[in-house]
Amino acid sequence: MAGEVFSDLEKAKLKILFDKIDVRGDGFISARDFKAFARDLGRHMTEERADELVSKGDPDGNGKVSFPNFVHALAVSAPKIKTAIVAFGLFREIDKDNSGFVTKADLRRICSEAGCRIPDAKLEQMINEADKTGDDRITFKEFLFSVIDFVRDN
């Protein structure tokens, strides 16, 4: 099955993402859920795009996507989506307190855990380059755009 593209750890992270998108907590994602999730990320999703996403994971045509079908649909679209999911997992790993933000303290901690010593000035620079709102912290949206910029530039 295409779902085997993902490791157990990745499937666990996919479950976290699925649960975040599943606004009602009923074990299914609808077009409305996809639109709300996009809005939470600061993006606009058209009704057509939301319906398209549902159709990729809705073999029964009932307008709902279960977790196993979600995993399967992502596996079919794996390269781009897998990158976004890895970014989401990385963000959550850095944002240990689940505040929804990455701060200089978070970056310092993750660097220390990785055995890196980065001067405070470099940490400030990293935050400032990603922080588009000027509040000295990085949202997931800012983090994702920074990752995309980094990949594109390197």
Side-chain angles (χ1 to χ4, degrees):
M1 179 174 179
E4 301 309 315
V5 169
F6 299 109
S7 69
D8 288 342
L9 178 60
E10 288 170 326
K11 286 179 187 174
K13 289 180 180 181
L14 284 174
K15 181 65 172 140
I16 292 168
L17 176 61
F18 181 88
D19 291 344
K20 184 168 179 62
I21 298 170
D22 177 17
V23 176
R24 289 177 309 281
D26 62 358
F28 295 97
I29 296 174
S30 67
R32 187 174 67 183
D33 293 331
F34 276 123
K35 287 184 69 165
F37 184 66
R39 192 172 39 258
D40 288 348
L41 295 176
R43 310 294 288 174
H44 171 74
M45 182 180 293
T46 65
E47 198 69 42
E48 294 78 22
R49 179 66 178 139
D51 289 341
E52 178 187 334
L53 288 174
V54 168
S55 71
K56 288 181 180 186
D58 179 22
D60 303 327
N62 62 7
K64 300 188 297 187
V65 180
S66 66
F67 179 67
N69 288 340
F70 178 75
V71 172
H72 179 75
L74 289 177
V76 171
S77 309
K80 289 181 182 177
I81 294 174
K82 194 171 182 181
T83 300
I85 290 165
V86 168
F88 180 74
L90 179 59
F91 182 84
R92 288 192 49 102
E93 186 65 30
I94 297 169
D95 178 26
K96 282 287 192 198
D97 65 357
N98 294 317
S99 66
F101 302 99
V102 170
T103 64
K104 185 168 69 171
D106 292 325
L107 288 177
R108 185 181 298 111
R109 180 192 45 76
I110 199 81
C111 289
S112 175
E113 288 174 5
C116 301
R117 278 197 33 84
I118 298 180
D120 276 354
K122 183 64 176 172
L123 291 175
E124 283 288 337
Q125 179 186 0
M126 291 167 68
I127 293 282
N128 290 337
E129 287 176 6
D131 177 24
K132 303 303 180 200
T133 58
D135 60 1
D136 293 327
R137 54 192 188 170
I138 303 169
T139 64
F140 177 68
K141 178 181 173 184
E142 291 168 332
F143 180 81
L144 186 58
F145 287 135
S146 293
V147 169
I148 291 168
D149 289 344
F150 178 80
V151 170
R152 185 183 54 229
D153 296 343
N154 291 291

